[in-house]
């Protein structure tokens, strides 16, 4: 396919390399002149068989392409959409909230995406063509809105890079990532607060504190942008977590606190021990919206699209609390 | 010194080896006949220069010793105290709550202890004479109650094994470990609950979920015993954590949630980035109760006792929120 990648940071830069290595004709663009030059230099040094082009404008980058991947942060999306003008191709993105992006897109041909990939370092130089191998890549599917052919074209593109393509609605995605990514940052922050005015606690703290607070060292601006961009879902999950903690506190006031708390902790302990889920055998999935969404809701994903057949996997047993 | 170690699990078994290697005359005892036999077999195989004796009763183990270390879980303490009869030596323990043990001890010669050491495996076979090297070892110091000479004798014994001996009261200890060890298990459990009925969340979950929930896989009975044995302090810290989470939820409802949450997260982010504290240079600390407790409250510890001088370290700068 002819694909444009707009934004050449860690995700965009990795995607440029991965799609080129998979034999696609790829054109990249970045708002930063230095990043464009770095991407051009690497294309020259990597030889002609799997190299990519780098354009000097969004319009030049997307000319004659079938797919444009917007690999820029949420605040940069409106500017890129303006640069796309009347682009007739399929648009996807890689941002970590899906409802807000959908609201910005209007009635363009669009399938929202979110690869759950990352690493400590960032920028084009940190890019890695194998970054998506084995990672979950959410592709949004909205009944009555998304064109299934568009969705399947992107699923084919990304499964070939090794990604597990997860079909969900934008709302389901935003609620799930509130629980597994955004709220964990708030819990880590609250737990770090136990050090306030208590240097003794800092000296005694070891493994359970270290792991439980690791992501609290993230810059507060980044945590706030992540949670604030998904505020309704984050508030909902946070309220449920606070309820659970208040239950534990009540159990500790009962006559037999140890028995009460043991019973109260058992469900979450079983959920955690069953995680991560083990994938079962690949099965063919009907290529219709409801069947795909049912696969995603069951914790499954599309692993390959071959000869028009959609192959999917779901967790081996129903150990995940559903 | 002549030292008895009662209970030869991971901590007791490691201490038996470490004290013997440091040249002390050590006698071990365990309620399990198989454990006693394993400890005897290892003593025989390790040669005569650093071997230990293994007794067949508590009375035999403590005969002619100056110190008895109770390395048994809290529920086993009353039975061991009965076995000690009128033992005139100094008693210490290694359990993870200090107030409840103090209540069981009565008016015996006692200094409560808690080495912050552990590993995945347990039992005598998992013991390691270097387990305490670099670990924090709390030794309780109660003004008007603890004999400073007894405290210093134990501090000398354990600093020679590489431990950082932290002087605190039982109440200060119990509040600190509620924050850095007990409540983290409850937060991990509550966070694991986001998987309930949501297999999609389990498929998307990655690093921040994995680390934030790691200790939730602990057996619920163990978490409940830990928290239930320290219920007043755990409830107090849990209430403060719930308050912080409720503040974050309120900030997410404001007109500019990102600015409000950024400000709300900043203190905990700074606390976490300043952790762990870096030790400064060793300084001599007056060997009196108040000076030692002030050292512990400042996040410091006793690193050595040489020629009657108590050497202490405290965090390099006051970066720990005090």
């Amino acid at each position: 396919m002819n694909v444009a990648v707009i934004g050449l940071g860690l995700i965009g830069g990795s995607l440029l390399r991965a799609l080129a290595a998979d034999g696609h004709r790829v054109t990249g663009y970045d708002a930063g002149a230095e990043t464009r030059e770095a991407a051009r230099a690497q294309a020259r040094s990597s030889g002609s068989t799997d190299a990519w082009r780098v354009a000097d404008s969004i319009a030049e980058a997307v000319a004659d392409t079938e797919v444009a991947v917007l690999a820029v942060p949420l605040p940069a999306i409106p500017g890129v959409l303006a640069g796309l003008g009347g682009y007739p191709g399929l648009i996807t993105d890689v941002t970590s909230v899906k409802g807000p992006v959908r609201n910005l897109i209007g009635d363009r041909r669009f399938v929202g995406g979110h690869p759950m990939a990352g690493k400590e370092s960032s920028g084009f130089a940190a890019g890695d063509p194998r970054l998506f191998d084995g990672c979950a890549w959410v592709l949004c599917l909205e009944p009555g809105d998304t064109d299934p052919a568009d969705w399947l074209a992107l699923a084919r593109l990304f499964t070939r890079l090794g990604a597990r393509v997860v079909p969900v609605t934008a709302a389901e995605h935003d609620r799930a990532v509130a629980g597994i990514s955004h709220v964990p940052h708030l819990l880590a922050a609250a737990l770090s607060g136990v050090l306030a005015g208590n240097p003794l606690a800092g000296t005694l703290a070891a493994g359970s504190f270290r792991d439980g607070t690791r992501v609290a060292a993230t810059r507060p601006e980044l945590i706030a942008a992540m949670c604030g961009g998904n505020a309704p879902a984050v508030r909902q999950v946070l309220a449920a977590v606070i309820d659970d903690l208040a239950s534990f506190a009540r159990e500790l006031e009962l006559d037999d606190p140890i028995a009460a708390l043991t019973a109260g902790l058992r469900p979450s302990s079983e959920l955690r021990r069953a995680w991560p889920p083990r994938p079962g055998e690949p099965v063919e999935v009907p290529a219709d919206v409801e069947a795909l969404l049912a696969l995603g809701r069951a914790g499954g994903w599309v692993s390959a699209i071959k000869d028009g057949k959609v192959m999917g996997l779901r967790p081996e047993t129903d150990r995940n609390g559903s």
Side-chain angles (χ1 to χ4, degrees), chain A:
Chain A
M1 296 181 87
N2 286 353
V3 184
V5 179
I6 310 299
L8 301 176
L10 173 65
I11 299 290
S14 297
L15 191 57
L16 189 80
R17 292 167 170 95
L19 290 173
D22 196 32
H24 299 285
R25 187 163 178 275
V26 195
T27 308
Y29 168 78
D30 193 277
E34 282 184 28
T35 299
R36 293 199 299 273
E37 197 37 59
R40 276 195 190 102
Q42 176 145 5
R44 279 193 298 269
S45 72
S46 65
S48 61
T49 52
D50 60 349
W52 49 82
R53 293 192 313 125
V54 178
D56 279 315
S57 72
I58 294 175
E60 183 195 338
V62 300
D64 301 322
T65 63
E66 301 147 78
V67 173
V69 182
L70 314 192
V72 298
L74 181 58
I77 295 270
V80 174
L81 289 175
L84 285 173
Y87 179 63
L90 172 59
I91 301 169
T92 186
D93 76 318
V94 301
T95 63
S96 61
V97 286
K98 305 273 50 84
V101 177
R102 215 180 151 219
N103 295 338
L104 291 170
I105 285 291
D107 55 2
R108 293 166 183 268
R109 266 180 72 198
F110 175 70
V111 173
H114 180 203
M116 311 294 289
K119 49 185 201 177
E120 306 298 318
S121 43
S122 59
F124 181 80
D128 173 1
R130 300 184 56 87
L131 185 67
F132 310 108
D133 196 10
C135 92
W137 191 315
V138 167
L139 280 181
C140 290
L141 198 47
E142 313 294 337
D145 188 5
T146 312
D147 180 342
D150 283 347
W151 193 93
L152 290 167
L154 291 180
R156 185 160 187 279
L157 200 62
F158 299 143
T159 51
R160 287 174 54 98
L161 309 182
R164 304 173 162 192
V165 171
V166 182
V168 290
T169 65
E172 284 164 344
H173 166 275
D174 288 354
R175 185 159 187 280
V177 296
I180 54 93
S181 172
H182 303 165
V183 166
H185 284 78
L186 300 180
L187 292 189
L191 184 53
S192 299
V194 306
L195 299 185
N198 197 345
L200 167 65
T203 294
L204 301 187
S208 63
F209 177 83
R210 181 190 61 236
D211 288 357
T213 58
R214 182 179 58 84
V215 295
T218 309
R219 282 175 45 220
E221 293 81 0
L222 296 181
I223 302 178
M226 205 163 67
C227 294
N230 192 21
V234 169
R235 286 207 311 265
Q236 195 181 346
V237 175
L238 192 52
V241 167
I242 289 175
D243 277 354
D244 280 356
L245 294 174
S247 291
F248 298 152
R250 280 193 302 276
E251 285 154 8
L252 284 169
E253 292 188 73
L254 297 178
D255 284 345
D256 188 346
I258 294 178
L261 191 55
T262 300
L265 289 167
R266 198 172 302 284
S268 53
S269 173
E270 285 169 5
L271 286 166
R272 182 55 172 80
R273 272 177 284 154
W275 184 87
R278 263 185 304 184
E281 291 300 309
V283 290
E284 189 177 348
V285 182
D288 69 69
V289 172
E290 283 310 325
L292 288 167
L293 285 177
L295 176 71
R297 282 177 198 130
W301 59 87
V302 171
S303 56
I305 298 181
K306 276 182 189 159
D307 310 326
K309 285 184 182 174
V310 180
M311 302 304 292
L313 286 89
R314 53 176 78 206
E316 196 165 40
T317 53
D318 199 356
R319 302 188 310 166
N320 224 2
S322 67

